[in-house]
C-alpha cells in the first residue's frame, strides 16, 4: 500500500507570493491533517479535514487555508507569504481521524 | 504554559541502556500519541493510546489518565533509536497539541 505522498518536496517562494501544497493520503483514509514544523515553535497543528469538511483548525491566520477533494486528496494554500512561513509542512492521514496517523515526508518551504 | 510538556529535552545514552521519556499534559484528551522523527524530517507514529500500556518490540508506552502523564520507554537501546521523540495530545475534536520533543542520541 502506498504511503502518504506530499508534493513538492522542496519549494522556494518570495515574500508576498502564494503557495499550494498537495497531500495524497493512504488509500481508504478519509482524514487528512496538516502541520507546520519550525525550529522555534516545533510542530503545530494547522487543520484537519474529513470527508471534504474542515473539522478543526489550529491557531493560524486566515492566510492559511485548505481543502479536501472527494478522493480524500488535500491541498493547503498559504497566501501573501511571509518570511516566518518558512517551515516544514507535514500532512498525515488516518482512517477516521481517531486512529493512528501516517505522515508524509513533508514539503520544505523557504520564503525569501 | 504549554499544553504538553516533555522531558528531558536532550538525552544521551550508551547502547543497551533503558531509556525513559516523560510527557505531561494539561488538556482533556481522547488519545496520547508518541511520534518518532529521524533527521530528514520523516515522522512515524509509534503509539496511540488512551489508557494503560502498549508494547511494540523494545518500545513501551504507558499512560496515567488521572495524573495526565505518559511515558515512553526504550529497552536495550540501540544507535538506530537515535531520533527526536515527540509526544502529542489529541482531543475529541481532533485538535492536536505537541510537546517540544526529546532528542535522543544512543552511543555505541
Amino acid at each position: 500500500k502506498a504511503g502518504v505522498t506530499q508534493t513538492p518536496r522542496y519549494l522556494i517562494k518570495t515574500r508576498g507570493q502564494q503557495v499550494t501544497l498537495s497531500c495524497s493520503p493512504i488509500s481508504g483514509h478519509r482524514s487528512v491533517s496538516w502541520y507546520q514544523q519550525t525550529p522555534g515553535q516545533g510542530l503545530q497543528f494547522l487543520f484537519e479535514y474529513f470527508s471534504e469538511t474542515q473539522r478543526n483548525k489550529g491557531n493560524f491566520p486566515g492566510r492559511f487555508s485548505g481543502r479536501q477533494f472527494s478522493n480524500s486528496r488535500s491541498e493547503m494554500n498559504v497566501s501573501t507569504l511571509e518570511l516566518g512561513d518558512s517551515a516544514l509542512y507535514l500532512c498525515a492521514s488516518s482512517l477516521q481521524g481517531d486512529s493512528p496517523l501516517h505522515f508524509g515526508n513533508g514539503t520544505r518551504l523557504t520564503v525569501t | 504554559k504549554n499544553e504538553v510538556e516533555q522531558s528531558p529535552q536532550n538525552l544521551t545514552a550508551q547502547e543497551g541502556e533503558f531509556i525513559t521519556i516523560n510527557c505531561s499534559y494539561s488538556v482533556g484528551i481522547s488519545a496520547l500519541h508518541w511520534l518518532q522523527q529521524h533527521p530528514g524530517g520523516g515522522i512515524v507514529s509509534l503509539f496511540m493510546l488512551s489508557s494503560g500500556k502498549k508494547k511494540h518490540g523494545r518500545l513501551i508506552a504507558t499512560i496515567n489518565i488521572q495524573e495526565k502523564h505518559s511515558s515512553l520507554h526504550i529497552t536495550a537501546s540501540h544507535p538506530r533509536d537515535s531520533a527526536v521523540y515527540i509526544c502529542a495530545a489529541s482531543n475529541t475534536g481532533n485538535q492536536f497539541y505537541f510537546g517540544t520533543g526529546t532528542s535522543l542520541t544512543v552511543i555505541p
Side-chain angles (χ1 to χ4, degrees):
Chain A
K1 210 177 208 182
V4 177
T5 304
Q6 288 189 249
T7 56
R9 286 297 309 276
Y10 302 92
L11 206 45
I12 300 174
K13 289 285 187 179
T14 305
R15 264 183 309 176
Q17 288 185 315
Q18 74 162 24
V19 67
T20 299
L21 312 181
S22 179
C23 175
S24 293
I26 290 173
S27 178
H29 285 194
R30 296 168 66 189
S31 169
V32 174
S33 48
W34 288 89
Y35 307 88
Q36 182 197 64
Q37 187 176 38
T38 59
Q41 298 294 322
L43 264 172
Q44 292 182 281
F45 171 73
L46 278 158
F47 28 65
E48 188 241 358
Y49 286 87
F50 183 84
S51 293
E52 302 178 66
T53 300
Q54 186 182 92
R55 291 201 297 193
N56 215 329
K57 191 177 193 306
N59 190 24
F60 278 82
R63 300 185 297 107
F64 291 80
S65 63
R67 59 179 176 168
Q68 187 181 32
F69 302 95
S70 58
N71 62 357
S72 292
R73 189 177 72 86
S74 179
E75 287 182 348
M76 192 193 99
N77 185 275
V78 188
S79 62
T80 320
L81 284 165
E82 300 177 359
L83 294 178
D85 297 332
S86 295
L88 179 67
Y89 290 89
L90 292 150
C91 87
S93 74
S94 65
L95 270 172
Q96 301 177 123
D98 59 351
S99 43
L101 298 173
H102 298 261
F103 284 84
N105 287 326
T107 293
R108 189 165 294 281
L109 171 65
T110 302
V111 182
T112 62
Chain B
K1 190 184 189 311
N2 292 333
E3 292 86 357
V4 177
E5 301 275 0
Q6 257 184 268
S7 64
Q9 254 190 308
N10 296 285
L11 186 52
T12 301
Q14 289 290 133
E15 183 174 355
E17 281 186 11
F18 180 85
I19 288 162
T20 296
I21 300 170
N22 294 300
C23 175
S24 296
Y25 55 92
S26 58
V27 293
I29 68 165
S30 61
L32 192 290
H33 306 252
W34 282 101
L35 311 173
Q36 180 193 56
Q37 186 171 31
H38 280 285
I43 294 180
V44 173
S45 176
L46 297 173
F47 294 104
M48 174 181 169
L49 65 165
S50 54
S51 65
K53 175 178 169 178
K54 285 192 176 181
K55 184 175 190 291
H56 185 258
R58 295 179 294 106
L59 273 59
I60 303 165
T62 63
I63 187 168
N64 184 318
I65 300 293
Q66 287 73 29
E67 295 185 5
K68 294 192 172 183
H69 182 270
S70 175
S71 293
L72 176 69
H73 305 287
I74 305 176
T75 63
S77 59
H78 190 275
R80 65 174 173 265
D81 297 326
S82 298
V84 175
Y85 293 84
I86 302 167
C87 166
S90 60
N91 60 20
T92 51
N94 228 33
Q95 178 98 11
F96 275 78
Y97 303 90
F98 294 93
T100 52
T102 295
S103 179
L104 171 66
T105 302
V106 181
I107 300 169

